């Protein structure tokens, strides 16, 4: 029986760079690592809550993960957009949706979609 959701694994050929993208550009906190700072790195916002776990697919001997879509939330999307643009990131235009979100989209260095939403 399933008792919880632990993490989403991302197997990347450029794990160090991907970890830097999430920790430095998006400021997702480092939680822990199973191996070292370039393999088995867990990123998230709370211990004992689901995380992103980035693995070096070459070290693990597996193929890169297919593209994913990750949704993050923010309290003030406009301020988040300004911060990300200052870091040189390319973003979509922000869109307000009828279902109650105000969103912007971008891609990480592996081509995964990043959605940042303010719930309005």
């Amino acid at each position: 029986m399933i008792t919880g959701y632990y993490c989403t694994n991302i197997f990347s050929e450029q794990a160090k760079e991907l970890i830097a993208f999430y920790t430095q550009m998006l400021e997702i906190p480092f939680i822990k690592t199973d191996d070292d700072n370039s393999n088995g790195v867990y990123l998230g916002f709370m211990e004992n809550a689901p995380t992103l776990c980035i693995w070096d697919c070459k070290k693990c001997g597996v193929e890169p993960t297919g593209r994913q879509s990750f949704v993050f939330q923010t309290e003030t999307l406009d301020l988040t957009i300004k911060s990300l643009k200052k870091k040189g990131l390319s973003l979509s235009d922000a869109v307000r949706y009828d279902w109650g979100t105000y969103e912007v989209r971008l891609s990480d260095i592996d081509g995964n979609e990043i959605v940042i939403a303010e719930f309005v």
Side-chain angles (χ1 to χ4, degrees), residues 6-7 19 29-37 39-44 47-49 51-54:
Y6 185 70
C7 73
I19 291 163
F30 171 89
I31 300 288
K32 68 176 184 168
T33 182
D34 279 347
D35 188 6
D36 60 31
N37 288 339
N39 192 43
V41 174
Y42 293 82
L43 307 174
E47 288 202 36
N48 303 317
T51 59
L52 294 178
C53 186
I54 300 175

Side-chain angles (χ1 to χ4, degrees), residues 13-37:
E13 293 180 323
Q14 39 191 353
K16 282 184 183 178
E17 295 85 355
L18 194 61
I19 291 163
F21 175 85
Y22 281 97
T23 59
Q24 295 170 15
M25 300 303 244
L26 298 184
E27 300 180 19
I28 308 296
F30 171 89
I31 300 288
K32 68 176 184 168
T33 182
D34 279 347
D35 188 6
D36 60 31
N37 288 339

Side-chain angles (χ1 to χ4, degrees), residues 2-119:
I2 295 173
T3 60
Y5 177 65
Y6 185 70
C7 73
T8 298
N9 287 321
I10 305 171
F11 291 92
S12 175
E13 293 180 323
Q14 39 191 353
K16 282 184 183 178
E17 295 85 355
L18 194 61
I19 291 163
F21 175 85
Y22 281 97
T23 59
Q24 295 170 15
M25 300 303 244
L26 298 184
E27 300 180 19
I28 308 296
F30 171 89
I31 300 288
K32 68 176 184 168
T33 182
D34 279 347
D35 188 6
D36 60 31
N37 288 339
S38 66
N39 192 43
V41 174
Y42 293 82
L43 307 174
F45 298 94
M46 297 171 39
E47 288 202 36
N48 303 317
T51 59
L52 294 178
C53 186
I54 300 175
W55 299 91
D56 184 330
C57 64
K58 292 174 269 184
K59 278 186 168 181
C60 297
V62 299
E63 292 295 315
T65 306
R67 292 208 169 102
Q68 307 289 322
S69 178
F70 300 109
V71 180
F72 296 98
Q73 67 185 58
T74 184
E75 290 184 18
T76 310
L77 185 63
D78 290 332
L79 290 176
T80 301
I81 290 169
K82 285 180 188 177
S83 175
L84 295 174
K85 284 185 175 182
K86 281 183 185 176
K87 294 177 180 180
L89 294 176
S90 177
L91 310 170
S92 71
D93 291 334
V95 177
R96 289 188 187 275
Y97 290 100
D98 291 339
W99 54 76
T101 61
Y102 178 40
E103 301 178 4
V104 67
R105 295 169 191 272
L106 63 145
S107 296
D108 70 18
I109 61 171
D110 276 357
N112 295 303
E113 177 184 59
I114 306 294
V115 179
I116 303 173
E118 175 183 335
F119 294 89

